[in-house]
Amino acid sequence: MTDETQQTHPLYAIDRDQIDAVLGHEGVPGPQQLTTIAALFSRYADFPGADDIRDDLQKCLALWGMSRDDLNIKTREIWRSGWRPGQDPVSEGVGSGADVEDTEA
């Protein structure tokens, strides 16, 4: 691709921050990391520009030892499970605390 055909995606800055956050995540990637990378793969697959983003998406897969097919299978499972963005898998099922008895007396 020549520089003349390179474009800047309108969501580039937001997406760059998301990829940087995923690359900075330590440990096993969770639903948020996996679904973010899968969505960005779709967004940038045929986009004429943002080569750095595509390179970092591939870097994520390499770090995780996954193929693109593995990522797609895993994210389909995540979505089927009912998970939604922003949901913390650790605190699922934790209520507001309204059902806890007041122990101060």
Side-chain angles (χ1 to χ4, degrees), residues 1-22:
M1 227 178 275
T2 65
D3 287 342
E4 294 150 12
T5 61
Q6 295 287 306
Q7 297 178 18
T8 301
H9 196 283
L11 296 175
Y12 177 88
I14 293 167
D15 296 341
R16 180 77 258 163
D17 287 346
Q18 289 183 341
I19 292 172
D20 290 344
V22 169

Side-chain angles (χ1 to χ4, degrees), residues 59-70:
K59 186 186 296 184
C60 289
L61 291 183
L63 288 170
W64 300 337
M66 298 177 86
S67 70
R68 180 90 187 272
D69 286 338
D70 295 335

